[in-house]
Amino acid sequence: MFKALVVEKDEGGKTHATVQELSDDRLPEGDVTVSVEYSTVNYKDGLCIGPGGGLVRHYPHVPGIDFAGTVLDSNDDRYPVGMKVVLTGWRVGEAHWGGYAQKASVKADWLTPLPDGLTTKQAMAIGTAGFTAMLAIIALENHGLTPDRGPVLVTGAAGGVGSVATAILGKLGYEVAAVTGRPETADYLKSLGATQIVPRSDLADPPQRPLDSETWAGCVDAVGGTMLARVLTQMKYGCSVASVGLAGGPQLPATVIPFLLRGVNLLGIDSVLQPPENRVKTWQRLATDLPMDKLESMIQTGSLADLPKLGADILGGQIKGRMVIDVNA
Ligand SMILES: NC(=O)c1ccc[n+]([C@@H]2O[C@H](COP(=O)([O-])OP(=O)(O)OC[C@H]3O[C@@H](n4cnc5c(N)ncnc54)[C@H](OP(=O)(O)O)[C@@H]3O)[C@@H](O)[C@H]2O)c1
């Protein structure tokens, strides 16, 4: 038997999430069974714990897009019994049963060996949000970002992606301008490495003109919508925005002028289907470039029973930093 957060749909189409004891024969088919130690709460998890947002295919469903733990049973030589592993993405926790359980059964190809120097708890403090922040920074570096080019903007800074991006950029020597709608998080953001706090309201209105003054050498954008349109008008010549999220909406009410007259690049970042070799490199970068004391200061912990409330909180933009779920608590 194992404990899991199970989401069921009633006849009226409403979803209900409860912690249940399941027998091992309920586990989906997979090459590797993992004894899950920790999971986490990302924005997408909020959708899957609640009404689904069109992501969940079948009910009853076990959400949790990330997990880390120890291999319990395996048909794949790459992942022997006892090995520590981490999983993010691959539509686990959406189309497949995920990490909000003491056991998970998955395809071997979806796993990544836990990098040296990280614990399973630290891996989940990073989770999809932190993994994506690292992907975004690597993409900006690959397009020429260096600390001497000027300040880097991080939007949705007090959230998961934003907090990890701020801490990594700070460690790498960047000036970091952190955009937040929660002024009370200013000290927290500065402790992570932000050198400037930009109130969300400064970037909330649609652009008044196609180009504004050249301000940012790069941007990790977790917000999208009007804010992204506004940021594009403020990028320095030849610089790039990594588009990660849509916390402020999926529309992009922008013009192409920043691309045409300033050579600005808009880089799309996807964490879900990243190829395995890129995952290994990205986790290694996280192990070296994310200061672990800063990661520790972002963490709050919870249990499976806390997830229905935490799911609603993250959809409401109310979670600061990263939530770690101890599935055995
Ligand atoms: N592309 C990918 O593979 C990928 C991977 C992970 C996440 N994402 C996406 O990235 C986004 C952030 O994820 P997360 O896990 O970091 O979520 P999160 O912890 O909830 O952070 C989002 C942050 O955005 C800000 N925000 C919320 N609503 C806003 C609004 N209406 N207007 C402007 N800012 C708003 C808030 O920051 P402040 O309180 O500081 O303002 C909030 O903390 C989500 O859209 C998520 O789906 C994409």
Side-chain angles (χ1 to χ4, degrees):
M1 302 290 285
F2 65 99
K3 267 196 307 180
L5 184 84
V6 182
V7 183
E8 292 166 306
K9 205 173 213 174
D10 65 23
E11 282 169 7
K14 252 188 117 208
T15 53
H16 306 271
T18 51
V19 178
Q20 298 182 13
E21 290 263 348
L22 304 179
S23 59
D24 283 7
D25 59 14
R26 297 280 306 276
L27 279 172
E29 261 185 53
D31 312 315
V32 181
T33 305
V34 177
S35 170
V36 178
E37 290 159 23
Y38 295 98
S39 185
T40 177
V41 183
N42 299 279
Y43 191 85
K44 220 184 225 180
D45 290 314
L47 295 171
C48 295
I49 296 168
L55 301 171
V56 176
R57 295 229 187 103
H58 306 289
Y59 292 92
H61 177 66
V62 175
I65 68 169
D66 301 334
F67 64 76
T70 306
V71 174
L72 205 56
D73 193 15
S74 174
N75 295 330
D76 191 292
D77 292 345
R78 291 170 298 168
Y79 296 100
V81 171
M83 188 179 196
K84 298 277 185 195
V85 289
V86 56
L87 183 146
T88 68
W90 298 114
R91 303 215 59 211
V92 169
E94 307 172 40
H96 315 278
W97 279 21
Y100 292 160
Q102 291 170 316
K103 287 183 188 172
S105 171
V106 292
K107 282 193 184 169
D109 288 346
W110 296 342
L111 293 166
T112 304
L114 189 73
D116 287 345
L118 282 188
T119 64
T120 49
K121 186 174 180 187
Q122 287 167 332
M124 284 300 97
I126 295 167
T128 282
F131 178 72
T132 308
M134 190 75 250
L135 287 172
I137 292 166
I138 293 170
L140 293 173
E141 289 173 345
N142 290 343
H143 285 79
L145 181 66
T146 48
D148 57 320
R149 294 193 74 177
V152 177
L153 195 70
V154 175
T155 68
V161 173
S163 292
V164 177
T166 299
I168 296 170
L169 288 165
K171 158 96 188 291
L172 294 175
Y174 287 91
E175 264 180 77
V176 184
V179 184
T180 184
R182 291 181 277 179
E184 68 277 14
T185 62
D187 287 345
Y188 162 75
L189 291 168
K190 284 183 186 157
S191 76
L192 294 182
T195 45
Q196 184 187 343
I197 305 296
V198 179
R200 188 191 291 177
S201 53
D202 282 10
L203 294 167
D205 295 331
Q208 294 302 306
R209 45 182 187 268
L211 292 175
D212 218 327
S213 48
E214 293 185 50
T215 310
W216 315 115
C219 173
V220 176
D221 176 51
V223 171
T226 304
M227 189 175 292
L228 174 55
R230 189 75 186 277
V231 168
L232 286 169
T233 68
Q234 300 181 353
M235 297 306 295
K236 291 190 180 199
Y237 190 89
C239 291
S240 306
V241 178
S243 169
V244 168
L246 41 57
Q251 307 299 335
L252 183 55
T255 76
V256 295
I257 301 298
F259 310 132
L260 309 187
L261 298 191
R262 284 206 184 137
V264 168
N265 305 301
L266 184 56
L267 312 176
I269 305 297
D270 169 60
S271 63
V272 177
L273 298 180
Q274 280 294 317
E277 57 282 7
N278 230 10
R279 288 175 185 264
V280 171
K281 284 188 205 146
T282 305
W283 277 104
Q284 277 162 355
R285 279 287 307 265
L286 282 159
T288 49
D289 290 342
L290 174 60
M292 288 302 140
D293 57 330
K294 304 266 197 278
L295 182 66
E296 192 59 40
S297 75
M298 292 174 206
I299 305 177
Q300 299 169 69
T301 50
S303 66
L304 291 176
D306 297 324
L307 283 165
K309 176 177 184 310
L310 294 172
D313 286 350
I314 200 158
L315 294 182
Q318 293 308 311
I319 303 258
K320 187 180 87 179
R322 299 282 301 132
M323 273 312 306
V324 174
I325 301 301
D326 179 350
V327 300
N328 299 303

